[in-house]
Amino acid sequence: MFNPVTLYKPTMFICSMTILFSSFAQAANPVLSSQIAMSFGAHCPTSFYGTVLSNDASACHIFADTLPASLTYHSKVSPNELQAFFRQQIDGPITQGVSQNRILIRLTDNRKIIVISPDGDGSQVDILVNPS
């Protein structure tokens, strides 16, 4: 049986650690800091560490572009449609579930985690990539 707490705690930990590591990296490296600052509101990439973003990706925010890395964007597509879109891309076993109205897709090796949340008329997508 699926236990949403099992996915929620590690996902929140990964999000917190990604933000923490990116903050340290920004403070230690002014060049990286300016690169990350430029990524806010910048043109969305077509893919992020091998994960293709939906064609309508907008409002992209790259919080860290080195591992562990994370990207957030908005899509006008519904969460269920995005879930199907990402499932088509993933070659290999995954763990999937719903926690607090968010769809969580996790590759078995925990290298990538995709969180799809309802956001107005569309969805917010968070892609978290961990080192191998």
Side-chain angles (χ1 to χ4, degrees), residues 3-115:
N3 182 352
V5 174
T6 304
L7 287 178
Y8 179 72
K9 286 183 180 180
T11 302
M12 292 309 299
F13 174 75
I14 291 168
C15 290
S16 300
M17 294 307 293
T18 300
I19 292 169
L20 178 65
F21 286 135
S22 67
S23 297
F24 283 129
Q26 286 179 19
N29 186 344
V31 174
L32 178 61
S33 179
S34 65
Q35 288 173 349
I36 291 175
M38 289 188 315
S39 69
F40 284 89
H43 178 70
C44 293
T46 56
S47 68
F48 187 70
Y49 283 91
T51 301
V52 177
L53 279 60
S54 59
N55 290 334
D56 70 334
S58 64
C60 288
H61 298 280
I62 299 174
F63 291 101
D65 57 1
T66 58
L67 297 179
S70 61
L71 173 137
T72 297
Y73 74 91
H74 183 268
S75 172
K76 294 179 183 175
V77 178
S78 75
N80 289 334
E81 291 172 301
L82 281 172
Q83 174 186 11
F85 170 78
F86 285 114
R87 289 289 308 261
Q88 289 176 349
Q89 292 185 49
I90 299 170
D91 183 28
I94 64 164
T95 302
Q96 181 178 313
V98 177
S99 176
Q100 297 183 351
N101 207 24
R102 293 175 177 89
I103 297 170
L104 304 171
I105 302 172
R106 178 188 303 254
L107 275 67
T108 0
D109 62 0
N110 286 330
R111 185 165 185 273
K112 288 184 188 174
I113 300 170
I114 301 170
V115 182

